[in-house]
Amino acid sequence: MAATPPPPPPAVALEQLSSNKMFGGRNIRFRHQSATLGCPMTFSIYLPPSPASNLPVLYWLSGLTCTDENFIIKSGAQRAAAAHGIALVAPDTSPRGLNIEGESDSYDFGVGAGFYLNATNEKWKNWRMYDYVVKELPKVLSDNFEQLNTSQASIFGHSMGGHGALTIYLKNTDKYKSVSAFAPIVNPISCPWGQKAFSNYLGSTKSDWEEYDATCLIKKCSNVSTPILIDQMFVTTDNTIESPSWIIGTAILTVFYAVDTGDDDKFLAEQLLPSNFEEACKAVGAPLSLRMQPGYDHSYFFIATFVDDHIAHHAQFLKST
Amino acid sequence: MAATPPPPPPAVALEQLSSNKMFGGRNIRFRHQSATLGCPMTFSIYLPPSPASNLPVLYWLSGLTCTDENFIIKSGAQRAAAAHGIALVAPDTSPRGLNIEGESDSYDFGVGAGFYLNATNEKWKNWRMYDYVVKELPKVLSDNFEQLNTSQASIFGHSMGGHGALTIYLKNTDKYKSVSAFAPIVNPISCPWGQKAFSNYLGSTKSDWEEYDATCLIKKCSNVSTPILIDQMFVTTDNTIESPSWIIGTAILTVFYAVDTGDDDKFLAEQLLPSNFEEACKAVGAPLSLRMQPGYDHSYFFIATFVDDHIAHHAQFLKST
């Protein structure tokens, strides 16, 4: 018996890089040529167990230095996504391979640090991660995965990706059902990471920056009725000695303090600024669940701990209609 | 008020490399000088939420090329370990930094490939991972972590580490309450990975090899009453098309087949040989739960999918007495 002829290739050519079964579904990684960014881009998708159709989509935006793979490998989110019947989609964090001068000089700007905005500075004109995530990627998905319902979408992310999720949601409450974030940069115009990125990508006109600042955006949003969930890690001096039996001699005690009062504490006070966002939400009556999580750091161990709660949060609002 | 003087340092000096809160407990990574191996060794421990004492210990042995970190970062096992109140301990897979000629020439021998045995070949005399895991590491733990009950211990692992877990258990049923494995090498004397490692570490006398072969060992064990749990991934031609909607044009279909009928299939047929172990268990009446898991591959995505079942399995037998 002759084989059935294969279907015609789709509009956007996707090159599959890997496929791994997990929790009955599959992690699949793809590369495609991005028209928006002018370079090849990778993204990862987790498809929950088949048979399935009309699957809602939950976008994950990663933080500085990440690719599309960190979340897929480290978060353990697939377990809850399989249980709830939600597809997870993780894009990369910036264009790559364009060889713009200085694009790889620092961890917090350029490659791996797209900040989910559309750059207006001519030098960084390819840095249009906002359009890529909001417009191109959903089209690529709907063109290629008939089991997805891309009109049922929510978005979440971590750190720079939490900033991305919040700003993209607040600018497109018609397109996304819900938003949540882990330790997001909520007020980039007031922190060093944001100021460095925005001044380079957007130029010196600070009113332009406000279009990509969650704390500024929420003040103009009167239509946010879905609760925003944020988990914020923070270090306490207490948490270094919360289990005295972990302290093993003086040398170790010293290391404990050095580890735990380091960068993560600085991130909160200097870069993340959750209280600025909390105050802005209060001022406009936007519902916010800001959960402070003592003793956690900025790593994926923190994300893995609470990701089930986030997926359950989104599942409430992603029920297909 | 003057601070209380610190306690005296413990017998074995542990250098803490990192500490990250997860699921209410902590992943902590340590380095120490191993007397058994003659080099510094790292291990990772997950301590479930405090307050806790008399914690049982579940050892994880990793596969070829891994360090102590892969399991901690990728398995997601901490969620179930926290729920069951079990400490997880993951050692490295070989001595490192000894600069033995040829130790890093291949992925399946030498560094990252200790095979959890005591080498008798003079050249590899430091490769004594069996003694390190069975004797030195438990002593390091009991000397340094008063909340652990190292006499309540079980052991599991993946691939080469599944071989390690099975052989260590079968040689020490008095020391470990239970064993399980993911895609273990169960009959190394009959597969290329095992033959390469054993001939180099143990010399040419094949009867010596049988001391580290689970299929040979189980035949001599009349006292195994605790069920052995094994999850074995395998690729079927079916699983490449189990969800037709994943197939996106002909080019992708080809890639699917290329990915899915590749190395993982070979591992099963040439290296892992689960049916040899199954037959040996049947012959001696040893209880074995061998679960064939279609469509999964040899990666940590497979482990993450079923690790909760394994921890629940061990929890049954690790109840402190």
Side-chain angles (χ1 to χ4, degrees):
Chain A
M1 194 175 77
T4 310
V12 176
L14 291 182
E15 177 191 0
Q16 182 180 296
L17 302 177
S18 62
S19 171
N20 302 89
K21 191 169 178 179
M22 189 180 193
F23 292 108
R26 268 191 186 269
N27 300 308
I28 318 184
R29 189 171 190 224
F30 293 99
R31 181 162 49 207
H32 70 112
Q33 180 65 30
S34 166
T36 306
L37 306 175
C39 66
M41 287 291 282
T42 56
F43 68 89
S44 290
I45 184 166
Y46 175 72
L47 291 170
S50 60
S53 64
N54 203 27
L55 287 171
V57 177
L58 178 54
Y59 294 93
W60 170 264
L61 303 184
S62 282
L64 290 167
T65 77
C66 289
T67 70
D68 58 295
E69 292 198 293
N70 303 65
F71 177 73
I72 295 295
I73 292 172
K74 295 181 176 180
S75 74
Q78 294 92 336
R79 198 179 59 88
H84 287 287
I86 294 171
L88 302 171
V89 175
D92 202 350
T93 53
S94 78
R96 290 181 194 266
L98 291 167
N99 298 317
I100 308 299
E101 183 206 358
E103 68 175 16
S104 298
D105 285 357
S106 54
Y107 80 98
D108 55 0
F109 180 75
V111 168
F115 276 85
Y116 306 101
L117 50 71
N118 291 334
T120 51
N121 182 336
E122 176 65 17
K123 180 176 177 184
W124 302 102
K125 64 185 176 190
N126 292 77
W127 262 249
R128 299 180 64 80
M129 286 299 293
Y130 177 86
D131 275 357
Y132 176 74
V133 170
V134 174
K135 297 175 184 169
E136 183 173 2
L137 187 54
K139 180 75 164 55
V140 168
L141 295 175
S142 60
D143 282 354
N144 287 282
F145 299 86
E146 63 184 24
Q147 71 271 55
L148 298 183
N149 179 353
T150 54
S151 69
Q152 290 287 326
S154 289
I155 192 163
F156 68 153
H158 172 226
S159 197
M160 175 184 76
H163 143 75
L166 289 167
T167 54
I168 284 173
Y169 173 78
L170 292 172
K171 290 161 81 78
N172 300 277
T173 50
D174 56 326
K175 286 190 176 150
Y176 302 91
K177 305 296 177 190
S178 49
V179 68
S180 75
F182 294 83
I185 304 169
V186 294
N187 193 192
I189 69 172
S190 303
C191 81
W193 278 338
Q195 289 160 352
K196 176 177 177 180
F198 287 12
S199 60
N200 282 285
Y201 290 136
L202 302 172
S204 55
T205 308
K206 293 211 174 175
S207 57
D208 294 345
W209 299 10
E210 296 178 359
E211 286 302 302
Y212 297 107
D213 183 290
T215 299
C216 295
L217 288 169
I218 193 84
K219 290 175 185 168
K220 295 188 283 181
C221 278
S222 56
N223 61 344
V224 175
S225 56
T226 306
I228 297 169
L229 171 62
I230 293 180
D231 275 313
Q232 175 61 56
M233 91 295 164
F234 73 103
V235 176
T236 65
T237 47
D238 271 11
N239 89 289
T240 60
I241 50 167
E242 66 190 22
S243 172
S245 50
W246 297 340
I247 299 165
I248 304 156
T250 25
I252 301 303
L253 179 63
T254 311
V255 177
F256 249 115
Y257 273 95
V259 169
D260 277 352
T261 57
D263 285 346
D264 295 310
D265 227 13
K266 282 190 209 148
F267 288 170
L268 179 63
E270 296 175 10
Q271 305 277 17
L272 303 176
L273 314 173
S275 58
N276 293 11
F277 188 67
E278 187 176 31
E279 281 168 28
C281 285
K282 274 184 191 158
V284 295
L288 170 68
S289 173
L290 173 60
R291 311 191 307 184
M292 300 300 284
Q293 304 289 7
Y296 289 89
D297 58 37
H298 210 59
S299 71
Y300 267 85
F301 297 125
F302 163 55
I303 295 167
T305 301
F306 300 106
V307 76
D308 286 9
D309 292 354
H310 285 242
I311 290 174
H313 172 79
H314 292 291
Q316 300 172 70
F317 308 105
L318 280 172
K319 301 289 176 197
S320 299
T321 51
Chain B
M1 195 174 76
T4 311
V12 177
L14 292 182
E15 179 191 0
Q16 182 179 296
L17 302 177
S18 63
S19 171
N20 302 90
K21 191 169 178 180
M22 188 179 194
F23 292 107
R26 269 192 183 268
N27 299 308
I28 317 183
R29 189 173 191 224
F30 293 99
R31 181 162 49 207
H32 71 111
Q33 181 65 30
S34 166
T36 306
L37 306 174
C39 66
M41 287 291 283
T42 56
F43 68 89
S44 290
I45 185 166
Y46 176 72
L47 291 171
S50 60
S53 63
N54 204 29
L55 288 171
V57 177
L58 178 54
Y59 294 93
W60 170 265
L61 303 184
S62 283
L64 290 167
T65 76
C66 289
T67 70
D68 58 295
E69 292 198 293
N70 303 64
F71 178 74
I72 295 295
I73 293 172
K74 295 181 175 181
S75 74
Q78 294 92 335
R79 198 179 59 88
H84 288 286
I86 294 172
L88 302 171
V89 174
D92 201 349
T93 53
S94 78
R96 290 180 194 267
L98 291 168
N99 298 318
I100 308 299
E101 183 205 357
E103 67 175 17
S104 298
D105 286 357
S106 54
Y107 79 99
D108 55 0
F109 180 75
V111 167
F115 275 84
Y116 306 102
L117 50 70
N118 292 334
T120 51
N121 182 335
E122 177 65 18
K123 180 178 177 184
W124 302 102
K125 64 186 177 190
N126 291 78
W127 263 249
R128 299 180 64 80
M129 287 298 293
Y130 177 87
D131 274 357
Y132 177 73
V133 170
V134 175
K135 297 175 184 169
E136 184 173 3
L137 186 55
K139 179 75 164 56
V140 168
L141 296 174
S142 60
D143 282 353
N144 286 283
F145 298 87
E146 63 185 24
Q147 71 271 54
L148 299 184
N149 179 353
T150 54
S151 68
Q152 290 287 325
S154 289
I155 192 162
F156 69 153
H158 172 227
S159 195
M160 175 184 76
H163 143 76
L166 289 168
T167 53
I168 284 173
Y169 174 78
L170 292 172
K171 289 161 81 78
N172 300 277
T173 49
D174 57 326
K175 285 190 177 151
Y176 302 92
K177 305 297 178 190
S178 50
V179 67
S180 75
F182 294 84
I185 304 170
V186 293
N187 192 191
I189 68 171
S190 303
C191 80
W193 277 338
Q195 288 159 352
K196 176 177 177 178
F198 287 12
S199 61
N200 280 284
Y201 290 136
L202 301 172
S204 55
T205 308
K206 294 210 174 176
S207 57
D208 294 346
W209 298 11
E210 296 179 0
E211 285 303 302
Y212 297 107
D213 183 289
T215 299
C216 295
L217 288 169
I218 193 84
K219 291 176 185 167
K220 295 189 281 179
C221 276
S222 56
N223 61 343
V224 175
S225 56
T226 306
I228 297 169
L229 172 62
I230 293 181
D231 274 315
Q232 175 60 57
M233 91 293 165
F234 73 103
V235 176
T236 65
T237 47
D238 272 10
N239 88 288
T240 60
I241 51 167
E242 66 188 24
S243 173
S245 50
W246 295 341
I247 299 167
I248 303 154
T250 24
I252 300 303
L253 179 63
T254 311
V255 176
F256 247 114
Y257 274 94
V259 168
D260 278 352
T261 56
D263 285 346
D264 295 310
D265 228 13
K266 283 190 208 148
F267 288 171
L268 180 62
E270 295 175 11
Q271 305 278 16
L272 304 176
L273 314 173
S275 57
N276 293 10
F277 188 66
E278 188 177 30
E279 281 168 28
C281 285
K282 274 185 191 156
V284 295
L288 169 68
S289 174
L290 173 59
R291 311 192 308 184
M292 298 300 285
Q293 304 288 7
Y296 288 89
D297 58 36
H298 210 60
S299 71
Y300 266 87
F301 297 125
F302 162 57
I303 295 168
T305 301
F306 299 106
V307 76
D308 286 8
D309 292 354
H310 284 242
I311 290 174
H313 172 79
H314 292 291
Q316 300 172 70
F317 308 104
L318 280 172
K319 302 287 178 200
S320 298
T321 50

